[in-house]
Amino acid sequence: MNTLHSQLAQYIDQGVIPPYQYSYPPRSTYRPLEAGKWNISDVWARDLANYQTPELNLYLHVPFCNVKCGFCNLYTIISTDQDVYDAYTDALCTQIRDHAEIIQARRLRTIYIGGGTPALLRTRHFEQIFHTISEIYPNWRSTAEEVAVEATPDSIVDDPDGFARLLQMGLTRANVGIQSLVPQEIREAGRRKSGEDVIREAVAIVKELGLPDLSTDLIMGFAGQTPESWRHSVDELAALGPTTISTYFLTVRPDAWFSKTGSYQYMWQPELYERYDYARKVLLEHGYVQEGSVRYKKPGRGGYVQKVLTFHGVPLLGLGVGARSYTSVLDYMTGSVKPSTAEVADYIDKARKHELQPVTGFELTGEEIVRKRLVLDTFDLDLSELDRFGLDKIRSEVDAVLDAAESHGLIHRLGSRVQLTPKGFKYRDILSWMFYSDRVTNLDREYYEGLHQANKRARKNMGATPVRITGIDLRESA
C-alpha cells in the first residue's frame, strides 16, 4: 500500500476535519503586493482573455456587525453608526461605477451582498446600491440568476417591511444564519438576539413574503453540543423546510474571537462525522438533494448559485473593504487581511478619490489555477478543462491523489470527468487539502503560526509549536 493511500485511510479513520474549503488560495496566503505592479483594469483585461464565454459574479461586502460571533474570522468590524453606513454606501457605489467597464464586458450571473451583517443597512442604502447597479448594467434583473443578501433572524423580525422591500428590488435569496435551534448553543455562538422563537418567526415571515430561496445553516461541534441536541436542531430545521440548509463543522481559527480563550484547532473527532451522517439522512428524507459537501437544497428552488459558479471557475469581482476578487490572474483585496475601523475609513476616502488598487493578494500561475479547480470543484470536474492551464506539469501528482481517492471510494472517474461519491462528499475537505501546493501550504502555516506567536494565552495553553491550526498535508508523514 503506497504512502498516500495509507495516509488518506489514516485521516479518514481518525476523523480529521480540516477547515471547509470555499476558496483557494485561502485568504491566509495573501501578502502585500508590489507597489505599482498591479492595475485593476489590466488584471481584468488579462483575465478576460482566458475565457471563451465572459461571465461574472459580483460580490459587495458590508463589513459591519453589531456583535462578533465567536467562530467568525471574516472581515468585520463592530459599528452601528448610521453616518458611517451612509459614507460607506457612497464609497461602495463609487467603486461600482469605477468598475463599470469590467462589469459591462461580461454577463452578470449573480449578485451577492455579504458581510458582516448587510441587514444593518437601511432600505435607502439598498435602494442606492441597486440603483447604481442599474445605472451601469440596466438588465441585471434579466441576467442575474441569483440576487442574495446575508441577514440575521432578528433583523428580519425587527423590520419585515424593509425585508419585503428587498424582494421588490429583486432579491431572490437570503442567507440567514441560524447555527442552532438549542438555546444554550445559540448563546455559545454569540447570537443572543436570535433565539429559537425569533428564528421560527423569521422563517415564517420569509415564507409569507414568497422569497424564492431561504438559505439557513447549522454548525456541528459547539461546546456543550451533544448528539441529542444536534438531532434536535436538524429535526426542527428540516421541519421548518427552508429551501437550502448547510451543515458546517465548527472550525476555530487563530483569528476568530473564540481564539481569545487561548485554545483553537480544527478537529479530529470521528463522532462529528456521525452527526454529519444523521443530518444527511434526515435532509434527504425531507426531499433535499445534496449540492455540496455542506449544502442541501430543495430541487428547483434552493442552492447557492454564486458559490457553484465560483467553484466552476467563473471569476468574482469583490467590491467593498475586505472583499476578495477571484480572477485567473490574481486573487486580491483592496484592504489588508486584518480588519480595522481605520482601514474602513481609508477605504471610504480612497474610493471617493478613485484611488483604490489591489493591496494584498496572491498571483496565480497556471499550476495554481489547476489546483484551484481541483481543490474546489471535484464535485463534478472535467479534467480536460485544465489542460490549457498546464495540468500535464503536475499530472503525476494529481493522478496519484485521484487514484488514492478512488481506491477509498471517494470519487467516480468517468473518462476525463471526476465526480465525488456520497463518501467523497463527506470527506471532501480532506481530499481538497491533498491538492494544495507547497507554496500555499507554507504561506497558510506561516500566517496562522504568526498569529499564534502573538497570542500569549495560546502559547501558554498550547505550547510554542501547536498542531492543527493550519491545513493538513497528506504528502508528509502522518
Side-chain angles (χ1 to χ4, degrees), residues 145-181:
E145 300 164 39
E146 177 181 84
V147 180
V149 68
E150 292 178 359
T152 58
D154 53 285
S155 70
I156 296 172
V157 171
D158 290 345
D159 187 15
D161 292 338
F163 191 81
R165 180 71 184 112
L166 287 176
L167 270 70
Q168 296 168 4
M169 294 181 208
L171 185 72
T172 65
R173 167 185 166 93
N175 273 22
V176 180
I178 288 177
Q179 285 89 52
S180 175
L181 283 158

Side-chain angles (χ1 to χ4, degrees), residues 2-8 11 24 367-368 371 375 394 396-398 400-401 430-442 445 471-478:
N2 66 49
T3 302
L4 199 61
H5 183 284
S6 61
Q7 287 176 349
L8 179 55
Y11 278 110
Y24 179 91
E367 176 185 332
E368 294 295 5
R371 291 184 184 278
V375 167
I394 58 170
S396 60
E397 178 187 337
V398 171
V401 174
I430 294 177
L431 177 60
S432 291
W433 279 101
M434 296 171 71
F435 294 114
Y436 267 49
S437 69
D438 290 337
R439 180 187 176 204
V440 170
T441 300
N442 292 335
R445 181 180 294 117
I472 58 175
D473 187 351
L474 298 190
R475 290 163 297 181
E476 299 177 355
S477 59

Side-chain angles (χ1 to χ4, degrees), residues 157-225:
V157 171
D158 290 345
D159 187 15
D161 292 338
F163 191 81
R165 180 71 184 112
L166 287 176
L167 270 70
Q168 296 168 4
M169 294 181 208
L171 185 72
T172 65
R173 167 185 166 93
N175 273 22
V176 180
I178 288 177
Q179 285 89 52
S180 175
L181 283 158
V182 176
Q184 179 182 345
E185 293 174 15
I186 294 172
R187 291 193 296 271
E188 171 71 16
R191 305 295 288 269
R192 297 180 184 276
K193 293 182 65 177
S194 298
E196 186 176 0
D197 292 341
V198 174
I199 291 170
R200 292 181 182 279
E201 186 177 354
V203 172
I205 290 170
V206 170
K207 285 187 173 182
E208 184 177 350
L209 291 173
L211 179 72
D213 185 9
L214 170 60
S215 179
T216 59
D217 60 20
L218 296 172
I219 294 180
M220 296 170 275
F222 281 130
Q225 186 182 79

Side-chain angles (χ1 to χ4, degrees), residues 4 7 29 53 67 71 77 123 135 153 161 182 231 271-272 276 279 316 345 362 369 427 438 440 467 477:
L4 199 61
Q7 287 176 349
T29 66
T53 304
V67 64
F71 52 83
I77 65 168
T123 298
E135 285 180 4
D161 292 338
V182 176
R231 289 195 291 268
E271 62 269 24
L272 290 185
Y276 170 98
L316 181 143
F362 185 100
I369 293 171
Y427 297 110
D438 290 337
V440 170
V467 297
S477 59

